[in-house]
Amino acid sequence: MARVLKNKELVNTRLATNYGGWMYCNKCNENIGYLCYSTYDRLELEYKCNCESIGRILLDFEDSRIGKNCKDELVVVKNRFCCPKDSEPLITILDKKLSKYEMKITCKSCESTYKKSK
């Protein structure tokens, strides 16, 4: 069943589909990562692309729950950041395309919110 977006804010960014898939910088059209459709509950991502564009993504759903802050690190499996509790893939950030980023992502299954930055 498709989820219903509550908040969708895309600044200088576009997604391949409504709330997931490939993520692109609007200025240079470079692929900056991949957002897994069904495993995250909320995403906040602010980034600076190598082309100097500043982008932002905020996505959450009507059925999203407030995540619990977690100090655990995301696990990297085949270049995807995954939840350390169940190894579900959440997001891929193409590090070499971004000069910096700050991300908070909440896992749908365990409701933990993870932070990552460069």
Side-chain angles (χ1 to χ4, degrees):
M1 184 169 101
R3 299 180 76 192
V4 177
L5 282 167
K6 180 170 75 176
N7 294 301
K8 180 178 184 179
E9 179 184 332
L10 301 175
V11 177
N12 296 325
T13 309
R14 73 180 193 289
L15 295 174
T17 63
N18 194 25
Y19 56 83
W22 295 108
M23 304 179 293
Y24 299 91
C25 170
N26 273 352
K27 183 177 178 186
C28 65
N29 289 316
E30 286 288 329
N31 179 347
I32 60 166
Y34 184 85
L35 181 58
C36 300
Y37 296 88
S38 61
T39 55
Y40 79 95
D41 213 19
R42 179 179 175 86
L43 171 67
E44 293 178 63
L45 174 65
E46 293 186 18
Y47 67 89
K48 183 174 184 182
C49 183
N50 289 337
C51 75
E52 301 297 318
S53 178
I54 304 290
R56 175 172 163 70
I57 300 173
L58 168 62
L59 296 166
D60 67 356
F61 303 91
E62 288 190 355
D63 63 348
S64 291
R65 299 198 174 138
I66 296 173
K68 303 172 289 254
N69 286 331
C70 184
K71 297 205 185 284
D72 294 341
E73 291 287 321
L74 291 164
V75 177
V76 178
V77 177
K78 295 183 180 178
N79 86 342
R80 292 182 180 166
F81 289 120
C82 300
C83 176
K85 294 179 173 71
D86 60 11
S87 296
E88 284 287 336
L90 298 169
I91 192 169
T92 299
I93 300 288
L94 298 177
D95 226 22
K96 64 185 177 203
K97 305 279 179 87
L98 303 179
S99 58
K100 67 179 183 177
Y101 67 87
E102 288 187 27
M103 174 180 69
K104 287 193 331 190
I105 191 164
T106 302
C107 177
K108 185 179 175 190
S109 64
C110 74
E111 299 176 7
S112 294
T113 299
Y114 301 98
K115 294 180 182 179
K116 185 79 177 160
S117 62
K118 170 185 173 182

